[in-house]
Each structure stands twice: as structure tokens, then as C-alpha cells.
Coordinates of all heavy atoms in Angstrom, one line a residue:
M15 N 0.8 -1.2 0.0 CA 0.0 0.0 0.0 C 0.9 1.2 0.0 O 1.8 1.4 0.8 CB -0.9 0.0 1.2 CG -1.6 1.3 1.5 SD -2.5 1.4 3.0 CE -4.1 1.1 2.4
L16 N 0.6 2.1 -0.9 CA 1.4 3.4 -1.0 C 0.5 4.5 -0.3 O -0.6 4.7 -0.8 CB 1.7 3.8 -2.4 CG 2.5 5.1 -2.6 CD1 3.9 4.9 -1.8 CD2 2.8 5.3 -4.0
Y17 N 1.1 5.1 0.7 CA 0.4 6.1 1.4 C 0.6 7.5 0.6 O 1.7 7.8 0.2 CB 0.9 6.2 2.8 CG 0.6 5.0 3.6 CD1 1.4 3.9 3.6 CD2 -0.5 5.0 4.4 CE1 1.0 2.7 4.3 CE2 -0.9 3.9 5.2 CZ -0.1 2.8 5.1 OH -0.4 1.7 5.9
P18 N -0.5 8.3 0.6 CA -0.4 9.5 -0.2 C 0.7 10.5 0.4 O 1.3 11.3 -0.3 CB -1.8 10.2 -0.1 CG -2.6 9.3 0.8 CD -1.8 8.0 1.1
E19 N 0.9 10.4 1.7 CA 1.9 11.2 2.4 C 3.3 10.9 1.9 O 4.2 11.8 1.7 CB 1.9 11.1 3.9 CG 0.6 11.5 4.5 CD -0.5 10.3 4.6 OE1 -0.3 9.3 3.9 OE2 -1.5 10.5 5.2
I20 N 3.6 9.6 1.6 CA 4.9 9.2 1.0 C 5.1 9.8 -0.4 O 6.1 10.4 -0.7 CB 5.0 7.7 1.1 CG1 5.0 7.2 2.5 CG2 6.3 7.3 0.4 CD1 5.0 5.7 2.6
Q21 N 4.1 9.6 -1.2 CA 4.2 10.1 -2.6 C 4.3 11.7 -2.6 O 5.0 12.2 -3.4 CB 3.0 9.7 -3.4 CG 3.1 10.0 -4.9 CD 4.3 9.3 -5.6 OE1 4.4 8.1 -5.6 NE2 5.2 10.1 -6.1
A22 N 3.5 12.3 -1.7 CA 3.6 13.8 -1.7 C 5.0 14.3 -1.3 O 5.5 15.2 -1.8 CB 2.6 14.3 -0.7
T23 N 5.6 13.5 -0.3 CA 7.0 13.9 0.1 C 8.0 13.6 -1.0 O 8.8 14.5 -1.3 CB 7.4 13.1 1.3 OG1 6.4 13.3 2.4 CG2 8.8 13.4 1.8
A24 N 7.8 12.5 -1.7 CA 8.7 12.2 -2.9 C 8.5 13.3 -4.0 O 9.5 13.8 -4.6 CB 8.4 10.9 -3.5
N25 N 7.3 13.7 -4.2 CA 7.0 14.8 -5.2 C 7.7 16.1 -4.8 O 8.3 16.8 -5.7 CB 5.5 15.0 -5.4 CG 4.8 13.8 -6.1 OD1 5.5 12.9 -6.6 ND2 3.5 13.8 -6.0
A26 N 7.6 16.5 -3.5 CA 8.2 17.7 -3.1 C 9.7 17.6 -3.2 O 10.4 18.6 -3.7 CB 7.8 17.9 -1.6
I27 N 10.3 16.5 -2.9 CA 11.8 16.3 -3.1 C 12.1 16.4 -4.5 O 13.1 17.0 -4.9 CB 12.2 15.0 -2.4 CG1 12.1 15.0 -0.9 CG2 13.6 14.6 -2.9 CD1 12.3 13.7 -0.2
A28 N 11.3 15.8 -5.4 CA 11.6 15.8 -6.8 C 11.6 17.3 -7.3 O 12.4 17.6 -8.2 CB 10.6 15.0 -7.6
N29 N 10.6 18.1 -6.9 CA 10.5 19.5 -7.3 C 11.7 20.3 -6.8 O 12.2 21.2 -7.5 CB 9.2 20.1 -6.8 CG 8.0 19.5 -7.6 OD1 8.2 19.1 -8.8 ND2 6.9 19.5 -7.0
L30 N 12.2 20.0 -5.6 CA 13.2 20.9 -5.0 C 14.6 20.4 -5.3 O 15.5 21.2 -5.5 CB 13.0 20.9 -3.5 CG 11.8 21.7 -3.0 CD1 11.6 21.4 -1.5 CD2 11.9 23.1 -3.3
G31 N 14.8 19.1 -5.3 CA 16.2 18.5 -5.4 C 16.6 18.1 -6.7 O 17.7 17.8 -7.0
K32 N 15.6 18.0 -7.7 CA 15.9 17.6 -9.1 C 16.7 16.3 -9.1 O 17.7 16.2 -9.8 CB 16.7 18.7 -9.8 CG 16.0 20.1 -9.8 CD 14.6 20.0 -10.4 CE 14.0 21.4 -10.5 NZ 12.6 21.4 -10.4
P33 N 16.2 15.3 -8.4 CA 16.9 14.0 -8.5 C 16.6 13.2 -9.8 O 15.7 13.6 -10.6 CB 16.3 13.2 -7.3 CG 14.9 13.7 -7.3 CD 15.0 15.2 -7.6
L34 N 17.4 12.2 -10.0 CA 17.2 11.4 -11.2 C 16.2 10.3 -10.9 O 15.4 9.9 -11.7 CB 18.5 10.7 -11.6 CG 19.7 11.6 -11.9 CD1 21.0 10.9 -12.1 CD2 19.3 12.5 -13.1
K35 N 16.2 9.8 -9.6 CA 15.3 8.8 -9.2 C 15.1 8.8 -7.7 O 16.0 9.2 -7.0 CB 15.8 7.4 -9.6 CG 14.8 6.3 -9.6 CD 15.5 5.0 -10.1 CE 15.3 4.9 -11.6 NZ 15.6 3.5 -12.1
I36 N 13.9 8.4 -7.2 CA 13.6 8.3 -5.8 C 12.9 6.9 -5.6 O 12.0 6.6 -6.3 CB 12.6 9.4 -5.3 CG1 13.2 10.8 -5.5 CG2 12.2 9.2 -3.8 CD1 12.2 11.9 -5.2
Y37 N 13.5 6.2 -4.6 CA 13.0 4.9 -4.3 C 12.4 5.0 -2.9 O 12.9 5.6 -2.0 CB 14.1 3.9 -4.2 CG 14.7 3.4 -5.4 CD1 15.7 4.1 -6.0 CD2 14.2 2.2 -6.0 CE1 16.3 3.6 -7.2 CE2 14.8 1.8 -7.2 CZ 15.8 2.4 -7.8 OH 16.4 2.0 -9.0
L38 N 11.3 4.2 -2.7 CA 10.8 4.0 -1.3 C 11.5 2.7 -0.8 O 11.4 1.7 -1.4 CB 9.3 3.7 -1.3 CG 8.7 3.3 0.0 CD1 8.8 4.4 1.1 CD2 7.2 2.9 -0.2
I39 N 12.3 2.9 0.2 CA 13.1 1.8 0.8 C 12.2 1.0 1.7 O 12.2 -0.2 1.6 CB 14.3 2.3 1.5 CG1 15.2 3.1 0.6 CG2 15.1 1.2 2.2 CD1 16.4 3.8 1.3
S40 N 11.5 1.7 2.6 CA 10.7 1.0 3.6 C 9.7 2.0 4.2 O 9.9 3.2 4.1 CB 11.6 0.4 4.7 OG 12.2 1.4 5.4
H41 N 8.7 1.4 4.9 CA 7.8 2.2 5.7 C 7.3 1.3 6.8 O 7.3 0.1 6.7 CB 6.6 2.7 4.8 CG 5.7 1.7 4.3 ND1 6.0 0.8 3.3 CD2 4.5 1.3 4.8 CE1 5.0 0.0 3.1 NE2 4.0 0.3 4.0
K42 N 7.1 2.0 7.9 CA 6.6 1.3 9.1 C 5.1 1.8 9.4 O 4.8 2.9 9.2 CB 7.4 1.7 10.3 CG 8.8 1.1 10.2 CD 9.6 1.5 11.5 CE 11.1 0.9 11.3 NZ 11.9 1.3 12.4
T43 N 4.3 0.8 9.8 CA 2.9 1.1 10.1 C 2.5 0.5 11.4 O 3.2 -0.4 11.9 CB 2.0 0.5 9.0 OG1 2.2 -0.9 8.9 CG2 2.2 1.2 7.7
N44 N 1.5 1.0 12.0 CA 0.9 0.5 13.2 C 0.2 -0.8 12.8 O -0.7 -0.8 11.9 CB -0.1 1.4 13.8 CG -0.8 0.9 15.0 OD1 -1.4 -0.2 15.0 ND2 -0.8 1.7 16.1
H45 N 0.6 -1.9 13.3 CA 0.0 -3.2 12.9 C -1.5 -3.3 13.1 O -2.2 -4.0 12.3 CB 0.7 -4.4 13.6 CG 2.1 -4.5 13.2 ND1 2.5 -4.9 11.9 CD2 3.3 -4.3 13.9 CE1 3.9 -4.9 11.9 NE2 4.3 -4.5 13.0
A46 N -2.0 -2.7 14.1 CA -3.4 -2.8 14.4 C -4.3 -1.9 13.5 O -5.4 -2.3 13.1 CB -3.7 -2.4 15.9
T47 N -3.8 -0.7 13.2 CA -4.6 0.3 12.5 C -4.1 0.5 11.0 O -4.8 1.1 10.3 CB -4.6 1.6 13.2 OG1 -3.3 2.2 13.1 CG2 -5.1 1.5 14.6
S48 N -3.0 0.0 10.7 CA -2.3 0.2 9.4 C -1.9 1.7 9.2 O -1.6 2.1 8.0 CB -3.2 -0.3 8.2 OG -3.3 -1.7 8.3
E49 N -2.0 2.5 10.2 CA -1.6 3.9 10.1 C -0.1 4.0 9.9 O 0.7 3.3 10.5 CB -2.0 4.7 11.3 CG -1.7 6.2 11.2 CD -2.0 6.9 12.5 OE1 -2.7 6.4 13.4 OE2 -1.6 8.1 12.6
L50 N 0.3 4.9 9.0 CA 1.7 5.1 8.7 C 2.4 5.7 9.9 O 1.8 6.6 10.6 CB 1.8 6.1 7.5 CG 3.2 6.5 7.1 CD1 3.9 5.2 6.5 CD2 3.2 7.6 6.0
I51 N 3.6 5.2 10.2 CA 4.4 5.7 11.3 C 5.6 6.5 10.8 O 5.9 7.6 11.3 CB 4.8 4.5 12.3 CG1 3.6 3.9 12.9 CG2 5.8 5.0 13.3 CD1 3.9 2.7 13.7
S52 N 6.3 5.9 9.9 CA 7.5 6.5 9.3 C 7.9 5.8 8.0 O 7.4 4.8 7.7 CB 8.7 6.4 10.3 OG 9.1 5.1 10.5
F53 N 8.8 6.5 7.3 CA 9.3 5.9 6.0 C 10.7 6.3 5.7 O 11.2 7.3 6.3 CB 8.3 6.1 4.9 CG 8.1 7.6 4.6 CD1 8.8 8.2 3.6 CD2 7.1 8.3 5.3 CE1 8.6 9.6 3.3 CE2 6.9 9.6 5.0 CZ 7.6 10.3 4.0
K54 N 11.3 5.6 4.7 CA 12.7 5.9 4.3 C 12.7 5.9 2.8 O 12.2 5.0 2.1 CB 13.6 4.8 4.8 CG 15.1 5.1 4.5 CD 16.0 4.0 5.1 CE 16.2 4.4 6.5 NZ 17.4 3.7 7.1
L55 N 13.4 7.0 2.2 CA 13.6 7.1 0.8 C 15.0 7.1 0.4 O 15.9 7.6 1.1 CB 12.9 8.4 0.3 CG 11.5 8.7 0.7 CD1 11.1 10.1 0.2 CD2 10.6 7.6 0.0
A56 N 15.3 6.6 -0.8 CA 16.6 6.8 -1.4 C 16.5 7.8 -2.5 O 15.6 7.7 -3.3 CB 17.2 5.5 -1.9
V57 N 17.4 8.7 -2.6 CA 17.4 9.8 -3.6 C 18.7 9.7 -4.4 O 19.7 9.9 -3.8 CB 17.2 11.2 -3.0 CG1 17.1 12.3 -4.0 CG2 16.0 11.2 -2.0
I58 N 18.5 9.5 -5.7 CA 19.7 9.4 -6.6 C 19.8 10.8 -7.3 O 18.8 11.2 -8.0 CB 19.6 8.3 -7.6 CG1 19.4 6.9 -7.1 CG2 20.8 8.2 -8.5 CD1 19.1 6.5 -5.8
V59 N 20.9 11.4 -7.2 CA 21.1 12.8 -7.7 C 22.2 12.8 -8.8 O 23.1 11.9 -8.8 CB 21.4 13.8 -6.6 CG1 20.3 13.9 -5.6 CG2 22.7 13.5 -5.9
P60 N 22.2 13.8 -9.7 CA 23.3 13.8 -10.7 C 24.7 14.0 -10.0 O 24.8 14.5 -9.0 CB 23.0 15.1 -11.5 CG 21.5 15.3 -11.2 CD 21.3 14.8 -9.8
D61 N 25.7 13.5 -10.7 CA 27.1 13.6 -10.2 C 27.5 15.1 -10.1 O 28.4 15.4 -9.3 CB 28.1 12.9 -11.2 CG 28.0 11.4 -11.0 OD1 27.6 10.9 -9.9 OD2 28.3 10.7 -12.0
I62 N 26.9 16.0 -10.8 CA 27.3 17.4 -10.8 C 26.7 18.1 -9.5 O 27.0 19.3 -9.3 CB 26.8 18.1 -12.0 CG1 25.3 18.1 -12.2 CG2 27.5 17.6 -13.3 CD1 24.7 19.0 -13.2
T63 N 25.9 17.4 -8.7 CA 25.4 18.0 -7.5 C 26.6 18.4 -6.6 O 27.5 17.5 -6.3 CB 24.6 16.9 -6.7 OG1 23.5 16.5 -7.5 CG2 24.0 17.5 -5.4
P64 N 26.8 19.7 -6.3 CA 28.0 20.2 -5.7 C 28.3 19.6 -4.3 O 29.4 19.3 -4.0 CB 27.8 21.7 -5.6 CG 26.4 22.0 -6.0 CD 25.8 20.7 -6.6
N65 N 27.2 19.5 -3.4 CA 27.5 19.1 -2.1 C 26.2 18.3 -1.6 O 25.2 18.8 -1.3 CB 27.7 20.3 -1.2 CG 28.1 19.9 0.2 OD1 27.6 18.9 0.8 ND2 29.1 20.6 0.8
I66 N 26.4 17.0 -1.6 CA 25.3 16.1 -1.3 C 24.8 16.3 0.2 O 23.6 16.2 0.5 CB 25.7 14.6 -1.6 CG1 24.4 13.8 -1.8 CG2 26.6 14.0 -0.6 CD1 24.7 12.4 -2.5
S67 N 25.7 16.6 1.1 CA 25.3 16.8 2.5 C 24.5 18.1 2.6 O 23.5 18.1 3.4 CB 26.6 16.9 3.4 OG 27.3 15.7 3.4
E68 N 24.9 19.1 1.9 CA 24.1 20.3 2.0 C 22.7 20.1 1.3 O 21.7 20.6 1.8 CB 24.8 21.5 1.2 CG 25.9 22.0 2.0 CD 26.6 23.2 1.3 OE1 26.1 23.7 0.3 OE2 27.7 23.6 1.8
L69 N 22.6 19.3 0.3 CA 21.3 19.0 -0.4 C 20.5 18.3 0.6 O 19.3 18.6 0.8 CB 21.5 18.3 -1.7 CG 20.2 17.8 -2.3 CD1 19.3 19.0 -2.7 CD2 20.6 16.9 -3.6
E70 N 21.0 17.3 1.3 CA 20.3 16.5 2.2 C 19.7 17.4 3.3 O 18.5 17.3 3.7 CB 21.2 15.4 2.9 CG 20.5 14.5 3.9 CD 21.4 13.5 4.4 OE1 22.6 13.6 4.4 OE2 20.8 12.5 4.9
C71 N 20.5 18.3 3.9 CA 20.1 19.2 4.9 C 19.0 20.1 4.4 O 17.9 20.4 5.1 CB 21.2 20.0 5.5 SG 22.4 19.1 6.5
F72 N 19.1 20.6 3.2 CA 18.1 21.5 2.6 C 16.8 20.7 2.4 O 15.7 21.3 2.7 CB 18.6 22.0 1.2 CG 17.6 22.6 0.4 CD1 17.1 23.9 0.7 CD2 17.0 22.0 -0.7 CE1 16.1 24.5 0.0 CE2 16.0 22.6 -1.5 CZ 15.5 23.8 -1.1
L73 N 16.8 19.5 1.9 CA 15.6 18.8 1.7 C 14.9 18.5 3.1 O 13.7 18.6 3.1 CB 15.9 17.4 1.0 CG 16.3 17.6 -0.4 CD1 16.8 16.2 -1.0 CD2 15.3 18.2 -1.3
Y74 N 15.6 18.1 4.1 CA 15.0 17.9 5.4 C 14.3 19.2 5.9 O 13.3 19.2 6.5 CB 16.0 17.4 6.4 CG 16.3 15.9 6.4 CD1 17.5 15.4 6.3 CD2 15.2 15.0 6.6 CE1 17.8 14.1 6.3 CE2 15.5 13.7 6.6 CZ 16.8 13.2 6.5 OH 17.0 11.8 6.5
T75 N 15.0 20.3 5.7 CA 14.4 21.6 6.1 C 13.2 22.1 5.3 O 12.3 22.6 5.8 CB 15.5 22.7 6.1 OG1 16.6 22.2 6.9 CG2 15.1 24.0 6.6
A76 N 13.3 21.8 4.0 CA 12.3 22.4 3.1 C 11.1 21.5 2.9 O 10.0 22.0 2.5 CB 13.0 22.6 1.7
V77 N 11.2 20.2 3.1 CA 10.1 19.3 2.8 C 9.4 18.9 4.1 O 9.9 18.2 5.0 CB 10.6 18.0 2.1 CG1 9.4 17.1 1.9 CG2 11.2 18.4 0.8
D78 N 8.2 19.5 4.3 CA 7.4 19.2 5.5 C 6.6 18.0 5.3 O 5.9 17.8 4.3 CB 6.5 20.4 5.8 CG 5.8 20.4 7.1 OD1 6.4 19.8 8.0 OD2 4.7 20.9 7.2
C79 N 6.6 17.1 6.3 CA 5.7 15.9 6.3 C 5.3 15.7 7.7 O 6.0 15.9 8.7 CB 6.6 14.7 5.8 SG 5.6 13.2 5.7
D80 N 4.1 15.2 7.9 CA 3.5 14.9 9.2 C 4.1 13.7 9.8 O 3.9 13.4 11.0 CB 2.0 14.8 9.1 CG 1.3 16.1 8.8 OD1 1.8 17.1 9.1 OD2 0.1 16.0 8.3
Y81 N 4.8 12.9 9.1 CA 5.4 11.7 9.6 C 7.0 11.8 9.5 O 7.5 12.4 8.6 CB 5.0 10.5 8.7 CG 3.5 10.3 8.8 CD1 2.6 10.9 7.9 CD2 2.9 9.6 9.8 CE1 1.3 10.8 8.0 CE2 1.5 9.5 9.9 CZ 0.7 10.1 9.0 OH -0.7 9.9 9.1
P82 N 7.7 11.1 10.4 CA 9.1 11.1 10.3 C 9.6 10.3 9.1 O 9.0 9.3 8.8 CB 9.5 10.4 11.6 CG 8.3 10.2 12.5 CD 7.2 10.5 11.6
Y83 N 10.6 10.8 8.5 CA 11.2 10.1 7.3 C 12.7 10.3 7.3 O 13.2 11.2 7.9 CB 10.6 10.6 6.0 CG 10.9 12.0 5.6 CD1 11.9 12.3 4.8 CD2 10.1 13.1 6.1 CE1 12.2 13.6 4.4 CE2 10.4 14.4 5.7 CZ 11.4 14.6 4.9 OH 11.7 15.9 4.5
D84 N 13.3 9.3 6.7 CA 14.8 9.3 6.5 C 15.1 9.4 5.0 O 14.3 8.8 4.2 CB 15.4 8.1 7.1 CG 15.3 8.0 8.6 OD1 15.6 9.1 9.2 OD2 15.1 6.9 9.1
L85 N 16.2 10.0 4.7 CA 16.7 10.1 3.3 C 18.1 9.4 3.3 O 18.9 9.6 4.2 CB 16.8 11.5 2.9 CG 15.5 12.3 2.8 CD1 15.8 13.8 2.4 CD2 14.5 11.7 1.8
V86 N 18.3 8.7 2.2 CA 19.6 8.2 1.9 C 19.9 8.8 0.5 O 19.2 8.5 -0.5 CB 19.7 6.7 1.9 CG1 21.1 6.2 1.5 CG2 19.2 6.1 3.2
L87 N 21.0 9.6 0.3 CA 21.3 10.2 -1.0 C 22.5 9.5 -1.6 O 23.5 9.2 -0.8 CB 21.6 11.7 -0.8 CG 20.3 12.5 -0.8 CD1 19.5 12.4 0.5 CD2 20.7 14.0 -1.1
Y88 N 22.5 9.3 -2.9 CA 23.6 8.7 -3.6 C 23.8 9.6 -4.9 O 22.8 10.0 -5.5 CB 23.3 7.3 -4.2 CG 23.2 6.3 -3.1 CD1 21.9 5.9 -2.6 CD2 24.3 5.5 -2.7 CE1 21.8 4.9 -1.7 CE2 24.1 4.5 -1.8 CZ 22.9 4.2 -1.2 OH 22.7 3.2 -0.3
K89 N 25.1 9.9 -5.2 CA 25.3 10.4 -6.5 C 25.2 9.3 -7.5 O 25.5 8.1 -7.2 CB 26.7 11.1 -6.5 CG 26.8 12.4 -5.8 CD 28.0 13.2 -6.1 CE 27.9 14.5 -5.4 NZ 29.1 15.4 -5.8
K90 N 24.9 9.7 -8.8 CA 24.6 8.7 -9.8 C 25.8 7.7 -10.0 O 25.5 6.5 -10.1 CB 24.4 9.4 -11.2 CG 24.2 8.4 -12.4 CD 22.9 8.3 -12.8 CE 22.7 7.5 -14.1 NZ 23.2 6.2 -14.2
S91 N 27.0 8.1 -10.1 CA 28.1 7.2 -10.3 C 28.3 6.2 -9.1 O 28.6 5.1 -9.3 CB 29.4 7.9 -10.6 OG 29.7 8.8 -9.5
E92 N 28.1 6.8 -7.9 CA 28.2 5.9 -6.7 C 27.0 4.9 -6.7 O 27.3 3.7 -6.5 CB 28.1 6.8 -5.5 CG 28.0 6.1 -4.2 CD 27.8 7.1 -3.0 OE1 27.0 8.0 -3.1 OE2 28.3 6.8 -1.9
W93 N 25.8 5.3 -7.1 CA 24.7 4.5 -7.2 C 24.9 3.4 -8.2 O 24.6 2.2 -8.0 CB 23.4 5.3 -7.5 CG 22.2 4.4 -7.8 CD1 21.7 4.1 -9.0 CD2 21.4 3.7 -6.8 NE1 20.6 3.3 -8.8 CE2 20.4 3.0 -7.5 CE3 21.5 3.6 -5.4 CZ2 19.5 2.3 -6.8 CZ3 20.5 2.9 -4.8 CH2 19.6 2.2 -5.5
D94 N 25.4 3.7 -9.4 CA 25.7 2.8 -10.4 C 26.6 1.7 -10.0 O 26.4 0.5 -10.3 CB 26.2 3.4 -11.7 CG 25.2 4.3 -12.4 OD1 24.0 4.1 -12.1 OD2 25.6 5.1 -13.2
T95 N 27.7 2.0 -9.3 CA 28.6 1.1 -8.8 C 28.0 0.2 -7.7 O 28.1 -1.0 -7.7 CB 29.9 1.8 -8.2 OG1 30.5 2.5 -9.3 CG2 30.9 0.8 -7.7
L96 N 27.5 0.9 -6.7 CA 27.0 0.1 -5.5 C 25.7 -0.7 -5.7 O 25.6 -1.8 -5.2 CB 26.7 1.1 -4.3 CG 28.0 1.8 -3.8 CD1 27.6 2.9 -2.7 CD2 28.9 0.8 -3.2
S97 N 24.9 -0.2 -6.6 CA 23.6 -1.0 -6.8 C 23.8 -2.2 -7.6 O 22.9 -3.1 -7.7 CB 22.6 -0.1 -7.5 OG 23.0 0.3 -8.8
S98 N 25.0 -2.4 -8.2 CA 25.3 -3.6 -8.9 C 26.1 -4.7 -8.1 O 26.4 -5.7 -8.5 CB 26.1 -3.3 -10.2 OG 27.3 -2.8 -9.9
D99 N 26.3 -4.3 -6.8 CA 27.1 -5.2 -5.9 C 26.1 -5.7 -4.9 O 25.7 -5.0 -4.0 CB 28.2 -4.4 -5.2 CG 29.1 -5.2 -4.3 OD1 28.7 -6.3 -4.0 OD2 30.2 -4.7 -4.0
P100 N 25.9 -7.1 -4.9 CA 24.9 -7.7 -4.0 C 25.3 -7.6 -2.5 O 24.4 -7.9 -1.6 CB 24.8 -9.1 -4.4 CG 25.7 -9.3 -5.6 CD 26.4 -8.0 -5.8
R101 N 26.4 -7.1 -2.2 CA 26.8 -7.0 -0.8 C 26.5 -5.6 -0.2 O 26.7 -5.3 1.0 CB 28.4 -7.2 -0.6 CG 28.8 -8.5 -1.1 CD 30.3 -8.6 -1.2 NE 30.7 -7.6 -2.3 CZ 32.0 -7.4 -2.5 NH1 33.0 -7.9 -1.9 NH2 32.3 -6.5 -3.5
T102 N 25.8 -4.7 -1.0 CA 25.6 -3.4 -0.5 C 24.1 -3.1 -0.3 O 23.2 -3.7 -0.8 CB 26.1 -2.3 -1.6 OG1 25.3 -2.5 -2.8 CG2 27.6 -2.6 -1.9
F103 N 23.9 -2.1 0.5 CA 22.5 -1.6 0.8 C 21.9 -1.0 -0.5 O 20.7 -1.2 -0.8 CB 22.6 -0.5 1.9 CG 21.2 0.0 2.3 CD1 20.2 -0.9 2.6 CD2 21.0 1.4 2.4 CE1 19.0 -0.4 3.1 CE2 19.8 1.9 2.9 CZ 18.8 1.0 3.2
A104 N 22.7 -0.4 -1.3 CA 22.2 0.2 -2.6 C 21.6 -1.0 -3.5 O 20.6 -0.8 -4.1 CB 23.3 0.9 -3.3
W105 N 22.3 -2.1 -3.5 CA 21.8 -3.2 -4.3 C 20.5 -3.7 -3.8 O 19.5 -4.0 -4.6 CB 22.8 -4.4 -4.2 CG 22.4 -5.6 -5.1 CD1 22.7 -5.8 -6.4 CD2 21.7 -6.7 -4.6 NE1 22.1 -7.0 -6.8 CE2 21.5 -7.6 -5.7 CE3 21.2 -7.1 -3.4 CZ2 20.9 -8.8 -5.6 CZ3 20.5 -8.3 -3.3 CH2 20.4 -9.2 -4.4
S106 N 20.3 -3.8 -2.5 CA 19.1 -4.2 -1.8 C 18.0 -3.2 -2.2 O 16.8 -3.6 -2.5 CB 19.3 -4.3 -0.3 OG 18.0 -4.6 0.3
I107 N 18.3 -1.9 -2.1 CA 17.3 -0.9 -2.5 C 16.9 -1.1 -4.0 O 15.7 -1.1 -4.3 CB 17.9 0.5 -2.3 CG1 18.1 0.8 -0.9 CG2 16.9 1.6 -2.9 CD1 19.0 2.1 -0.6
H108 N 17.8 -1.3 -4.8 CA 17.6 -1.4 -6.3 C 16.7 -2.7 -6.5 O 15.8 -2.6 -7.4 CB 18.9 -1.5 -7.0 CG 18.7 -1.6 -8.5 ND1 18.3 -0.5 -9.3 CD2 19.0 -2.6 -9.4 CE1 18.2 -0.9 -10.5 NE2 18.7 -2.1 -10.6
Q109 N 16.9 -3.7 -5.8 CA 16.2 -5.0 -6.0 C 14.8 -4.9 -5.4 O 13.8 -5.5 -6.0 CB 17.0 -6.1 -5.4 CG 18.3 -6.4 -6.0 CD 18.2 -6.7 -7.5 OE1 17.4 -7.6 -7.9 NE2 18.9 -6.1 -8.3
T110 N 14.6 -4.3 -4.2 CA 13.3 -4.4 -3.5 C 12.6 -3.1 -3.3 O 11.4 -3.1 -3.0 CB 13.6 -5.0 -2.1 OG1 14.4 -4.2 -1.3 CG2 14.2 -6.4 -2.2
G111 N 13.3 -2.0 -3.6 CA 12.6 -0.7 -3.4 C 11.6 -0.4 -4.5 O 11.8 -0.9 -5.6
G112 N 10.6 0.4 -4.1 CA 9.7 0.9 -5.1 C 10.0 2.2 -5.7 O 10.3 3.2 -4.9
V113 N 10.0 2.4 -7.0 CA 10.3 3.7 -7.6 C 9.1 4.6 -7.5 O 8.0 4.3 -7.9 CB 10.7 3.5 -9.1 CG1 11.0 4.8 -9.8 CG2 12.0 2.6 -9.2
L114 N 9.4 5.7 -6.8 CA 8.3 6.7 -6.6 C 8.4 7.9 -7.7 O 7.5 8.6 -7.9 CB 8.4 7.3 -5.2 CG 8.2 6.4 -4.1 CD1 8.4 7.1 -2.8 CD2 6.8 5.8 -4.2
Y115 N 9.6 8.1 -8.2 CA 9.9 9.2 -9.1 C 11.1 8.8 -10.0 O 12.1 8.2 -9.5 CB 10.2 10.5 -8.4 CG 10.7 11.6 -9.3 CD1 9.8 12.3 -10.0 CD2 12.1 11.8 -9.5 CE1 10.3 13.3 -10.9 CE2 12.6 12.7 -10.3 CZ 11.7 13.5 -11.0 OH 12.1 14.5 -11.9
E116 N 11.0 9.1 -11.3 CA 12.1 8.9 -12.2 C 12.1 10.1 -13.2 O 11.1 10.3 -13.8 CB 12.0 7.6 -12.9 CG 13.3 7.3 -13.7 CD 13.4 5.8 -14.2 OE1 12.4 5.0 -13.9 OE2 14.4 5.5 -14.8
Q117 N 13.2 10.8 -13.2 CA 13.3 11.9 -14.0 C 12.9 11.6 -15.5 O 13.4 10.6 -16.0 CB 14.7 12.5 -14.0 CG 14.9 13.9 -14.6 CD 16.3 14.4 -14.5 OE1 17.2 13.9 -15.1 NE2 16.4 15.4 -13.6
G118 N 12.1 12.4 -16.1 CA 11.6 12.2 -17.4 C 10.4 11.3 -17.6 O 9.8 11.2 -18.6
L119 N 10.1 10.6 -16.5 CA 8.9 9.7 -16.5 C 7.8 10.2 -15.7 O 6.7 9.7 -15.8 CB 9.3 8.3 -16.1 CG 10.4 7.6 -17.0 CD1 10.7 6.2 -16.4 CD2 9.9 7.5 -18.4
S120 N 8.0 11.1 -14.7 CA 7.0 11.5 -13.8 C 6.5 12.9 -14.2 O 7.1 13.7 -14.8 CB 7.5 11.5 -12.4 OG 7.9 10.2 -12.0

């Protein structure tokens, strides 16, 4: 189940951060009510992004959401290398994460 709050957050990040792709890594819900508790996104940005740490801080500050969320940011070349290695978290995201945004397709 995709919660509208997750997609809205991904859309806001896409508008502000100009990523290449956004994945939903995971989300936690209340087992009894199915209410969203928190979620985690992976954001793939172009290699020309000057400072990935500053972008991450900017996105946390600029994107308001009623639920706690985490971001994991990768530059494209880093993502390409790590997502093809089965020993990495990036590979796991690539295999099991849901794509919420892809530049040129959304």
C-alpha cells in the first residue's frame, strides 16, 4: 500500500532537489490500524550535485511531512557502482525498493 503522504513527500523532493530517481526503501505502520508511522527514501542525484550533504540538509528543512522520514542520498556514479554489488545496501534498494519518481517519466 502506498500512502499519499509518502508520494507527496517524494514529489516535493523531486521538485526541490531535481533527483534522477527516488525509491521507497521501507515504511513502518501500526500493525493494528495500518496507520503510517515513518518511512525511508533513497534519492539518486546527478554527479554534478555540488554538495550532497548540503542538499540533504536542505531537503529535510524544506520538505514538510506529518510523519518522520529518513533520506539516503547517492550520486549517480556511486549508485551505479553500489547498486550492482549484492553486498551493498544500494543493491538491496535497487532490488526491492519501489520507484516513486524517475526523471523524465513523472
